[in-house]
Amino acid sequence: MKRLGILTMVLFIQTTFAQTNRFVYQVTMKPDASNKADIKTENAYLDISAEKSMFYSENRIKRDSVMQANRQSGGARGFNRDQMESLRSSINYSIEKDKKNQKTIYKDRLGRDAYSYEEDRAVEWKILPETTKIGEYKVQKAETDFGGRKWTAWFTTDLPYQDGPYKFSGLPGLVVKAEDADGDYSFDLMKNYKIADFPEMNQFGNVVKVKRADYVKQQEKFKTDPMSFMNNQRSGGISSPMRTGGGGGNQNPADMRKRMEERAKEEIKKNSNPIELK
């Protein structure tokens, strides 16, 4: 009986340790440089296990779920356009932190494909003596300059994690709040709970692994001429011009291209104040 009790305790500890903890952050953004009054707010998840963490948009998972259900039904369910529009996200990237290898992997979509790079800059923190309380947590102040912005963070040692939203890590605790000096971006911890495992991320198009400097160059090319950029991309292993078919067969390809170009440029304008300025 004693051995059984010890075995049960060991299994309980292993199960608890293996669980993934989800921290829900409210992300507030002013992504349009020409319209700072346009404030976007949405939730993002920071899922943490013993081996890694993932930071990504809550809406991405919800959209993936809707699209997966549509595929499984063979398209019989159709898309609820209003629902899909309500799940649009200003957080199109995902960030994985590999704890064992001390690597931070950033992934974002440019045109047809996703681009992935390993972050090559450390987040250098200055920990300050100032403390306060945010919600139920006692927190301490820290500052850093990263990506062309000055950030203030408040971290807690009340929780057994040394992590945070976005690329923020390296503090002796969990980041509860982070905000840049201009007030353009902020991350606020709202709640946390346990989940069984990391969700499966749907991936459309190719994943192109590059250096961070190369990603920045490709991003600038996309912003300058999105249609040419997408026309030059390879989709499904085949280099081809922008697809204009599907749906209505009577649509004029030139008109469709023009509408797609206008939409792409409008999206670029709406994201002209990125979280990283350099």
Side-chain angles (χ1 to χ4, degrees), residues 14-23 45-56 61 96 193-201:
Q14 288 178 339
T15 302
T16 302
F17 186 72
Q19 281 182 322
T20 300
N21 293 269
R22 171 167 290 170
F23 295 86
Y45 294 153
L46 175 64
D47 295 343
I48 305 176
S49 74
E51 296 80 24
K52 69 176 184 178
S53 70
M54 286 286 296
F55 183 75
Y56 56 94
I61 292 299
E96 178 177 340
Y193 51 89
K194 294 185 183 298
I195 59 175
D197 202 355
F198 291 87
E200 183 178 348
M201 299 281 194

Side-chain angles (χ1 to χ4, degrees), residues 3-19:
R3 290 180 61 187
L4 180 60
I6 293 173
L7 180 60
T8 301
M9 183 177 293
V10 169
L11 290 173
F12 173 77
I13 292 172
Q14 288 178 339
T15 302
T16 302
F17 186 72
Q19 281 182 322

Side-chain angles (χ1 to χ4, degrees), residues 112-113 204-208 233-240 243:
R112 299 173 185 268
D113 299 325
F204 305 98
N206 302 314
V207 178
V208 184
Q233 285 181 319
R234 297 178 63 87
S235 182
I238 301 173
S239 181
S240 62
R243 292 174 182 152

Side-chain angles (χ1 to χ4, degrees), residues 2 11 41 114 127 206:
K2 185 177 180 181
L11 290 173
T41 302
I127 298 177
N206 302 314

Side-chain angles (χ1 to χ4, degrees), residues 198-232:
F198 291 87
E200 183 178 348
M201 299 281 194
N202 289 333
Q203 186 61 62
F204 305 98
N206 302 314
V207 178
V208 184
K209 294 183 179 181
V210 295
K211 298 289 187 182
R212 184 179 63 85
D214 293 328
Y215 169 79
V216 172
K217 291 178 182 177
Q218 294 300 314
Q219 190 179 47
E220 288 304 313
K221 287 181 181 179
F222 177 69
K223 290 178 181 178
T224 302
D225 192 343
M227 293 305 294
S228 293
F229 182 89
M230 288 188 281
N231 284 341
N232 289 330

